Amino acid sequence: MDYQTLKINKHEKWCELILHRPDSLNAINSVLVNELSHFFEEIEKDEECYLIIITGHGKAFAAGADIQEMQDMSSGQASSFSAKIQEVFLHIKEMPQLVVGFINGYALGGGMELAMACDFRIASSKAQFGQPELKLGLVPGFAATQILPRLTNVADALFMFSTAEMLNAYQALELRLVQQVVPEAEFQDYKIKLVDEIGMQGPQALRKIKNLVHKGMAMSFKDGCAMESQEFGSLFGSRSQGEEGMKAFLHKRKPKW
């Protein structure tokens, strides 16, 4: 597929997805959503790929939904648009690969919702975050009212929605919206460093950990622990990844994944 709004850089075992609508600060429209959906459907079949990085072109990660497109929508069209995007963003959580948001600039409205859909987020020191929907007389439509209170807490989420103020990268770090803030000059180098660090880990176990965490959050603690025990045991035995990892550790060599 030839993408109009995305640039895809495929590497040996990881992939970088760049949101690319330079004339609109990578605002999210129907074309971009459809292309994201197609990309994730295809890449999840790649058993060699262990990591997907999402970032934005230029000075924005994504500056929200495309208001130019939304302004003429009917109520039904807007609800369908919201539901489609929520479906695509939920798919990110269900992907077997780890999906990391590298937030290079503005992540506002729908852009912040896309960032929150990632498994975790690394922010440039220039990044800014916000949910400004109330300024337009709207509510967030791409799951922010559900995910932001879960990432932070109810009071901070409501404060952020109610004031519609932007947070800088360090304020976002304090709220645990991002896991690391990296100086802008070091942002690209840090990305490669993180790719290499994650790439040294057991790839099957990495996929299982993502699945355990996301599925476990929707289960009782007891059921989640039972699921973990099953997956723990699945990595033992002859010719298993666990066997290779433990042998490599004991023989002080790198594992052959």
Side-chain angles (χ1 to χ4, degrees):
M1 179 177 178
D2 292 326
Y3 293 105
Q4 300 177 42
T5 65
L6 305 175
K7 286 193 172 182
I8 313 297
N9 295 327
K10 283 192 174 182
H11 303 270
E12 185 179 0
K13 292 187 178 181
W14 66 283
C15 184
E16 182 179 35
L17 183 156
I18 303 171
L19 309 177
H20 193 265
R21 294 191 68 214
D23 294 337
S24 61
L25 295 177
N26 308 323
I28 297 170
N29 67 356
S30 298
V31 175
L32 190 147
V33 171
N34 289 333
E35 291 187 351
L36 281 175
S37 179
H38 182 271
F39 168 79
F40 288 125
E41 287 174 1
E42 291 300 309
I43 197 70
E44 73 177 341
K45 301 171 189 174
D46 187 344
E47 295 184 358
E48 292 297 313
C49 178
Y50 65 87
L51 173 67
I52 299 163
I53 283 176
I54 304 179
T55 192
H57 170 82
K59 63 181 182 180
F61 177 74
D66 192 327
I67 298 172
Q68 190 70 36
E69 180 181 61
M70 290 196 305
Q71 65 175 340
D72 296 323
M73 289 181 180
S74 67
S75 176
Q77 288 171 329
S79 291
S80 296
F81 184 59
S82 167
K84 171 64 176 178
I85 296 176
Q86 289 178 0
E87 178 185 331
V88 174
F89 288 4
L90 177 61
H91 191 187
I92 294 173
K93 299 292 188 190
E94 297 172 343
M95 293 284 293
Q97 296 94 343
L98 195 67
V99 181
V100 180
F102 265 71
I103 317 304
N104 54 300
Y106 296 112
L108 308 176
M112 179 167 156
E113 287 165 304
L114 173 56
M116 291 192 294
C118 297
D119 294 313
F120 61 83
R121 290 147 294 282
I122 307 299
S124 160
S125 56
K126 292 290 186 180
Q128 296 190 65
F129 300 82
Q131 296 288 164
E133 288 85 358
L134 276 179
K135 290 183 178 181
L136 302 176
L138 300 173
V139 302
F142 309 156
T145 60
Q146 304 307 303
I147 195 169
L148 183 57
R150 288 169 166 84
L151 284 178
T152 59
N153 59 71
V154 171
D156 282 326
L158 283 171
F159 179 80
M160 193 169 182
F161 291 137
S162 301
T163 62
E165 292 180 354
M166 286 198 292
L167 303 180
N168 64 38
Y170 296 99
Q171 290 171 315
L173 181 64
E174 287 181 7
L175 288 179
R176 305 311 297 163
L177 283 175
V178 301
Q179 281 57 62
Q180 193 79 35
V181 176
V182 180
E184 184 183 26
E186 301 170 18
F187 197 55
Q188 294 304 315
D189 289 341
Y190 184 86
K191 177 175 64 180
I192 300 304
K193 177 185 175 184
L194 184 67
V195 166
D196 289 343
E197 286 180 355
I198 295 174
M200 290 188 294
Q201 317 309 322
Q204 290 178 23
L206 179 63
R207 289 181 175 223
K208 288 179 182 294
I209 281 178
K210 173 173 174 172
N211 185 57
L212 282 166
V213 169
H214 287 306
K215 280 191 175 179
M217 290 295 289
M219 292 180 174
S220 70
F221 181 78
K222 184 177 180 180
D223 288 344
C225 287
M227 180 174 62
E228 182 186 271
S229 292
Q230 286 293 115
E231 293 290 31
F232 181 70
S234 74
L235 292 168
F236 282 72
S238 178
R239 298 182 182 179
S240 68
Q241 189 180 95
E243 179 187 50
E244 167 59 18
M246 289 184 284
K247 282 184 176 179
F249 175 81
L250 292 172
H251 290 88
K252 297 181 172 56
R253 62 171 173 81
K254 290 183 178 180
K256 299 175 182 177
W257 305 124

